[in-house]
Amino acid sequence: MTVRGPLITLAAVAAVGVGILTVNISQEESVVPGTPVAAPTTVSTTVAAPPAPAFPAKADYVGKIATANGSITLDIAVEGDKAVAYACDGNSIESWMRGSAANGAVSLASKDGTGRLEGRLDGTAIVGTLSIGQKQWDFRAETAYSPAGLYVYEQGGVRGSWIVDSSGKATGVLRLGDGSTAPAPDLANDGSAVIGGRTVTAARVRGASDV
């Protein structure tokens, strides 16, 4: 009697076993013993930080700050890496501040320490915080073009300070020799004003001015 079924099955199993063994041997031979395996390549994704915004060589920034009793006008004059700022309400509140202008930021303080201004460039404006005494306000001062800017006259202990905004309106404070203050007189387009019955001429203040 011939037994064909079991023999065919055994032959098939043997063929499959030989095929698996051949594949394993082929895979083992594809890696040469002692050959180092290369590490995967790493691609750097570091992105350089954008450069800090820069101030123009000379510029004035003027803004209005709403307060509980009215408003404060602010001018920030920048020249090179220096800046001067003046803030006043046109009556009795005023503060002169000086400091640095670098890497798109200004940091200014008054000589007596009662005034402080910190700001940064935001497009064509400076935004930041103004402090006078115990009070503090946020501000936004936009670029202003001549004749807008900051003006001062000082002689004999009398000082007149003005901010001219983009509309040509001047806001200022007159400080007398005894320390009292009053609204500054009108400032003409040519920078002249009448103080104590005498016509005087105010000087333009720039960021590097010593005021």
Side-chain angles (χ1 to χ4, degrees):
M1 180 178 63
T2 302
V3 181
R4 299 175 60 86
L7 292 178
I8 294 173
T9 300
L10 289 174
V13 171
V16 171
V18 171
I20 294 172
L21 179 62
T22 301
V23 170
N24 289 339
I25 292 173
S26 175
Q27 291 177 345
E28 290 175 358
E29 289 179 349
S30 65
V31 178
V32 178
T35 302
V37 179
T41 302
T42 302
V43 179
S44 175
T45 58
T46 302
V47 179
F55 288 107
K58 291 182 181 180
D60 274 272
Y61 302 85
V62 178
K64 291 279 189 180
I65 303 170
T67 69
N69 301 315
S71 65
I72 288 177
T73 305
L74 170 67
D75 183 291
I76 305 170
V78 174
E79 184 176 9
D81 60 356
K82 294 179 173 59
V84 170
Y86 177 67
C88 73
D89 67 349
N91 186 20
S92 60
I93 297 174
E94 67 169 351
S95 182
W96 282 94
M97 294 157 282
R98 298 175 61 193
S100 64
N103 299 319
V106 289
S107 181
L108 316 176
S110 62
K111 292 179 179 179
D112 62 5
T114 60
R116 185 81 189 175
L117 185 147
E118 300 289 340
R120 60 176 177 79
L121 268 178
D122 181 19
T124 59
I126 294 178
V127 298
T129 303
L130 168 68
S131 302
I132 301 177
Q134 301 299 314
K135 296 184 178 180
Q136 180 175 296
W137 305 271
D138 293 331
F139 72 84
R140 182 178 182 86
E142 299 285 349
T143 301
Y145 300 97
S146 186
L150 185 54
Y151 298 81
V152 66
Y153 166 81
E154 188 167 11
Q155 186 172 352
V158 176
R159 185 184 70 206
S161 307
W162 297 265
I163 297 171
V164 178
D165 63 23
S166 295
S167 70
K169 180 182 177 181
T171 303
V173 170
L174 180 66
R175 182 173 292 274
L176 303 178
D178 61 3
S180 62
T181 58
D186 291 338
L187 187 70
N189 291 336
D190 62 358
S192 64
V194 177
I195 297 178
R198 188 166 63 94
T199 300
V200 301
T201 301
R204 180 69 181 269
V205 177
R206 300 293 186 180
S209 299
D210 185 11
V211 292

